[in-house]
Amino acid sequence: MALSRLEIEQVVMEIAPILQGSWIQKIQQPAPDILTLDIRVPGQTHRLLISSRPDTSRLHLTNHPLQNPPTPPAFCQFLRAHFQGARIDGICQVPNDRIVEIHCTCKAGALTIVCELTGKKANILILDADRLILRNLANKRDLVAQPYVYPAQRGKDGQETWSNRFPGALSGDFPISAEIDAYYRDKESTLAVDHAKEARLRVLRSTLKKEHRRIQAWREDLDRAAKYRDYARYGELIKANLGTIAKGADHMTVTDYFDEQLPEVTIPLDRTKSSQGNMDDYFRKHRKHMAAEHELIPRIEQAERELERFRAELSALEQGTWTPPAASPSGSSVMARSKTRNHRQSGETQRRGPFRRFMSADGLPIFVGRNARENDELTFGLAKSDDLWLHARGTPGSHVVVRLGKGMEPTPETLRDAATLALLYSDLKKSGKGEVIYTRRKWVKKAKGQAPGAVTVTQEKSLYVSLDKTRLDELKARSTEA
């Protein structure tokens, strides 16, 4: 259960007086729906946790560090670009609602972090001085550039009854935050197990269906091959009577000397084949039967053992006696695989070359090639099809790539930042001005038979820029090169 309106009021009253006039030192996004702000007040640093997770949406101070992803998400990068070093002018709760606003003075002026701690529709939004939405954690693109409007209130009103879960009985400077932190740490641990159970239940049910289908298919293959069980005997009988088979015959009747009673047996023949060909067919089909038994019977036995194990685990889940194993697909193994995958991706990025790295005014990563080889690697290795690609027109220079999400358009500030870098790292640098072309990476192709870095570009647009010292200084300050 998320914090109630009155619980939010309680914690805001506790932290707002202390954090007013403080400075945001560090911003992290340890999970897709959790932010932490390290806030400096004279003599100490506090960590503010904001969660928009539907079942645990909340805001409070915490002393517990959270593990962060190797690469900060785009929303976190945007916050760092705008709020790193910002002054908190005030924290207030919207009357009779579960919404908290953090008003800040940043380099670009007044900005507001709006924390909608409203359960299923929880979100974190960034507003400019005119209260237009710049970004939101839920990445609802239809909200961007729209005036912020408080969501319609639903449910209980100001007469809401209140069971005080967090009376502030713990010792310390922020007892209410400490109680909320402890409560939700336990709750999220329980929820993690519940989510693991639900995920494992889905996996098991799906796996059981698949295993049943596989076993059934193997049994059908085995049954089809079983009719070839006696075909080795037929092959041997044909072999013993090769000289007596009439050309074009569709059957032969011979004495079955493999049977003690020596009965006569009729063997079907393919009249389009020779006696040798019919013999070879019977031996080949018998080998098929032998191979099927050799491969399918152990496979079916192994699958049935696995099926029994899955059934036992499913029974434990349904009876409530299951605990996440170390190798649970919903547990630590998935996290380990995720970390390995992230580490591998990070390593691949490093192997592709360091490039020059900057952050746009809107918090988007900008990569700049250092030479022809890096230009080639950047454009055709690192860049994705929807990324923005720039280059100074008609002159040697660096390839510049802005990382964009699918369907995302660069803002004018990001476009000008990237164009400035394309001009700076080209032969037009001396003149201090010039034309820069830009397009999506998918419209950039390698020039056949040309040196690395040579490309052909279609569907490009152009922008005339001058090297602005203030913009360059800001870009250099936001450089992320190691």
Side-chain angles (χ1 to χ4, degrees):
M1 174 181 178
L3 285 183
S4 69
R5 173 181 62 81
L6 293 171
E7 288 166 345
I8 292 172
E9 180 181 326
Q10 193 180 13
V11 74
V12 169
M13 288 175 62
E14 178 182 74
I15 67 175
I18 303 298
L19 300 185
Q20 184 171 351
S22 59
W23 300 86
I24 298 176
Q25 281 190 323
K26 195 173 184 180
I27 302 167
Q28 294 177 319
Q29 189 176 344
D33 41 20
I34 292 179
L35 290 176
T36 60
L37 310 180
D38 285 4
I39 301 172
R40 184 68 181 174
V41 300
Q44 55 187 325
T45 300
H46 301 294
R47 176 168 292 143
L48 179 66
L49 184 147
I50 308 168
S51 170
S52 65
R53 191 166 290 171
D55 42 9
T56 58
S57 54
R58 65 196 190 276
L59 173 147
H60 57 84
L61 297 181
T62 179
N63 292 323
H64 296 93
L66 299 175
Q67 187 172 3
N68 290 289
T71 303
F75 188 76
C76 182
Q77 293 177 7
F78 178 85
L79 289 180
R80 289 179 181 179
H82 288 79
F83 287 88
Q84 204 100 352
R87 181 180 185 273
I88 295 179
D89 298 321
I91 301 176
C92 63
Q93 180 183 11
V94 174
N96 297 320
D97 212 333
R98 291 181 291 168
I99 300 174
V100 176
E101 295 189 355
I102 304 174
H103 301 282
C104 301
T105 298
C106 310
K107 296 175 186 176
L111 297 176
T112 303
I113 302 174
V114 178
C115 310
E116 293 182 344
L117 310 176
T118 50
K120 290 183 179 179
K121 295 186 178 181
N123 200 359
I124 301 173
L125 307 99
I126 310 302
L127 311 184
D128 66 9
D130 298 320
R131 295 186 69 81
L132 297 178
I133 299 171
L134 300 177
R135 288 287 179 92
N136 67 95
L137 184 59
N139 198 26
K140 296 179 180 178
R141 291 178 182 154
D142 57 324
L143 296 179
V144 176
Q146 298 299 314
Y148 177 67
V149 178
Y150 292 121
Q153 293 190 25
R154 301 176 63 185
K156 299 177 182 178
D157 57 16
Q159 302 301 317
E160 175 184 0
T161 58
W162 181 32
S163 174
N164 192 354
R165 295 187 294 170
F166 312 111
L170 296 178
S171 60
D173 295 333
F174 305 100
I176 295 171
S177 282
E179 288 179 352
I180 293 173
D181 192 29
Y183 174 83
Y184 280 102
R185 280 170 62 81
D186 289 342
K187 185 172 181 63
E188 287 184 336
S189 177
T190 302
L191 286 173
V193 174
D194 290 342
H195 292 159
K197 287 180 178 179
E198 291 172 7
R200 187 58 179 160
L201 199 59
R202 289 193 299 270
V203 168
L204 280 175
R205 286 171 176 164
S206 174
T207 302
L208 282 169
K209 288 180 181 178
K210 290 179 181 177
E211 287 299 304
H212 275 301
R213 287 197 296 268
R214 289 174 66 199
I215 291 173
Q216 183 62 29
W218 289 336
R219 289 194 180 280
E220 289 173 0
D221 289 343
L222 200 57
D223 289 343
R224 280 193 293 270
K227 67 182 181 181
Y228 302 141
R229 183 179 291 111
D230 294 329
Y231 277 29
R233 181 161 59 98
Y234 294 164
E236 291 293 346
L237 292 173
I238 294 173
K239 184 178 180 180
N241 295 275
L242 280 177
T244 64
I245 301 173
K247 186 176 180 180
D250 61 0
H251 69 280
M252 64 176 291
T253 302
V254 295
T255 301
D256 184 2
Y257 54 80
F258 290 98
D259 190 324
E260 292 180 357
Q261 303 299 321
L262 299 177
E264 287 192 340
V265 60
T266 299
I267 302 173
L269 300 174
D270 184 344
R271 65 173 63 205
T272 65
K273 295 181 179 180
S274 66
S275 55
Q276 180 75 36
N278 276 283
M279 179 189 72
D280 292 340
D281 270 356
Y282 276 108
F283 283 135
R284 178 178 54 79
K285 289 176 180 177
H286 181 261
R287 287 195 298 272
K288 185 175 180 180
H289 159 69
M290 295 296 291
E293 284 199 335
H294 178 73
E295 293 180 14
L296 294 179
I297 290 176
R299 198 180 298 176
I300 291 170
E301 290 173 351
Q302 174 66 24
E304 286 180 335
R305 286 193 293 270
E306 287 290 307
L307 208 58
E308 194 58 39
R309 184 173 64 82
F310 291 143
R311 286 195 191 103
E313 190 177 355
L314 181 61
S315 176
L317 274 163
E318 292 172 342
Q319 294 173 12
T321 59
W322 181 87
T323 54
S328 169
S330 304
S332 58
S333 66
V334 164
M335 294 177 65
R337 287 198 297 271
S338 176
K339 290 176 185 174
T340 302
R341 198 160 48 240
N342 288 335
H343 178 76
R344 188 184 305 125
Q345 290 170 351
S346 175
E348 287 172 358
T349 301
Q350 292 299 324
R351 286 196 298 275
R352 284 172 176 165
F355 314 114
R356 294 184 177 93
R357 301 171 186 224
F358 299 87
M359 199 70 71
S360 78
D362 296 306
L364 295 174
I366 304 176
F367 300 89
V368 182
R370 296 177 186 272
N371 49 48
R373 180 188 59 79
E374 278 200 7
N375 282 344
D376 204 57
E377 274 194 85
L378 174 59
T379 300
F380 302 108
L382 183 70
K384 298 179 181 178
S385 62
D386 284 310
D387 289 346
L388 190 69
W389 183 91
L390 305 93
H391 193 278
R393 184 186 289 279
T395 187
S398 294
H399 293 193
V400 177
V401 168
V402 181
R403 181 73 84 202
L404 296 176
K406 189 172 183 180
M408 183 178 176
E409 294 294 334
T411 64
E413 282 300 301
T414 290
L415 180 58
R416 194 159 288 276
D417 280 346
T420 298
L421 291 170
L423 184 68
L424 176 67
Y425 295 107
S426 76
D427 285 0
L428 294 177
K429 176 183 177 181
K430 293 179 181 178
S431 66
K433 56 187 177 181
E435 191 176 8
V436 173
I437 61 171
Y438 62 96
T439 187
R440 296 284 182 173
R441 154 62 189 88
K442 59 188 172 184
W443 305 120
V444 182
K445 308 296 181 185
K446 278 191 178 185
K448 292 184 178 179
Q450 300 297 314
V455 298
T456 58
V457 183
T458 56
Q459 300 197 24
E460 79 272 15
K461 298 178 182 178
S462 64
L463 178 69
Y464 193 86
V465 292
S466 300
L467 294 181
D468 177 78
K469 185 178 185 305
T470 302
R471 186 180 295 275
L472 285 172
D473 289 342
E474 290 176 352
L475 281 166
K476 289 176 181 176
R478 293 195 300 270
S479 172
T480 59
E481 292 183 76

